[in-house]
């Protein structure tokens, strides 16, 4: 219901999706825009009322659909360059999809599957701190998608802690994990995880009235995240670069997301009233 929504998280999702677009084009301010990723990961752990089937519709279906979309793009580019049509394929894509940004979906689905076993307060804290300690001891893997997973594991666990026990436990999990990383594995990503996850907790804790606008912002944020590489690809094909590419990509991604959202919510022909 509309009154159950938090307008602040709706607007936060929209801003974070634009941050992902900016981060992806390597423009100035890329490090600041990167805080959008842990922000999104925390919010992805919001529980589904439909259980595992709801998680599959929310995460697995978009992963498969957009993997096909970007797989077609890869194939078209291969044919244009007279390369083997499926030479771009590698087995890692089973876990990360056919474009780099899709890794977040199967990763979040795996986290959702194990989340019920991580919801005891001690287990929630222990899992987040143990993940940070493992990164300190073992380092960050270079192989994809495990490199991305090592970045995303703490925001995911902070999200699980929040939706199980609220902001206090989640904040303790976040600060403890950050301290372990800061002392044992200093890296810029540590601050990114801290700030992005902290902003997500703030948006979840504080509330704004939901509205039709906030709900629409939340919906199109999903399409912006999923579809934005298509707009970036068009911009690069037009030889747009640097800040101009960022602006083109953000505006174009919003327009494309609006078009997709309108098509997705268009009334079916059989439901039209004469």
């Amino acid at each position: 219901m509309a009154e159950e929504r938090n307008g602040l998280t709706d607007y936060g999702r929209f801003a974070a999706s634009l941050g992902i677009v900016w981060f992806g084009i390597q423009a100035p301010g890329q490090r600041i825009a990167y805080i959008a990723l842990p922000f999104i990961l925390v919010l992805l752990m919001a529980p589904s009322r439909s259980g595992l089937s709801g998680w599959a519709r929310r995460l697995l279906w978009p992963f498969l659909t957009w993997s096909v979309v970007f797989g077609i793009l890869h194939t078209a580019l291969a044919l244009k360059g007279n390369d083997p049509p499926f030479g771009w394929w590698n087995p890692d894509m089973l876990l990360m999809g056919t474009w780099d940004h899709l890794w977040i979906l199967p990763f979040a689905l795996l986290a959702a599957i194990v989340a019920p076993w991580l919801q005891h307060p001690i287990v929630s804290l222990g899992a987040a701190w143990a993940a940070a300690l493992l990164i300190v001891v073992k380092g960050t893997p270079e192989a994809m998608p495990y490199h991305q997973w090592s970045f995303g594991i703490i925001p995911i666990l902070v999200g699980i802690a929040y939706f199980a026990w609220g902001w206090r436990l989640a904040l303790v999990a976040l600060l403890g994990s950050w301290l372990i990383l800061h002392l044992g594995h200093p890296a810029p990503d540590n601050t990114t995880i801290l700030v992005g996850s902290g902003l997500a907790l703030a948006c979840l804790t504080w509330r704004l009235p939901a509205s039709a606008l906030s709900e629409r912002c939340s919906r199109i944020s999903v399409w912006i995240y999923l579809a934005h590489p298509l707009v970036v690809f068009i911009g690069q094909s037009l030889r747009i670069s640097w800040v101009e590419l960022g602006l083109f990509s953000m505006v174009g991604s919003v327009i494309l997301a609006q078009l997709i959202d309108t098509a997705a919510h268009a009334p079916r022909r059989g439901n039209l009233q004469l």
Side-chain angles (χ1 to χ4, degrees), residues 66 216 219-220 222-224 226-228 230 253-266:
W66 285 91
R216 189 170 184 86
R219 289 203 315 269
I220 68 171
V222 176
W223 300 121
I224 291 171
L226 292 171
H228 78 271
L230 297 175
S253 295
V254 171
I255 294 172
L256 178 59
Q258 290 275 13
L259 294 173
I260 297 173
D261 184 69
T262 299
H265 290 83

Side-chain angles (χ1 to χ4, degrees), residues 147-166:
H147 179 78
Q148 292 93 328
W149 288 15
S150 67
F151 176 90
I153 186 63
I154 290 174
I156 282 285
L157 293 171
V158 168
I160 292 173
Y162 173 84
F163 289 107
W165 296 98

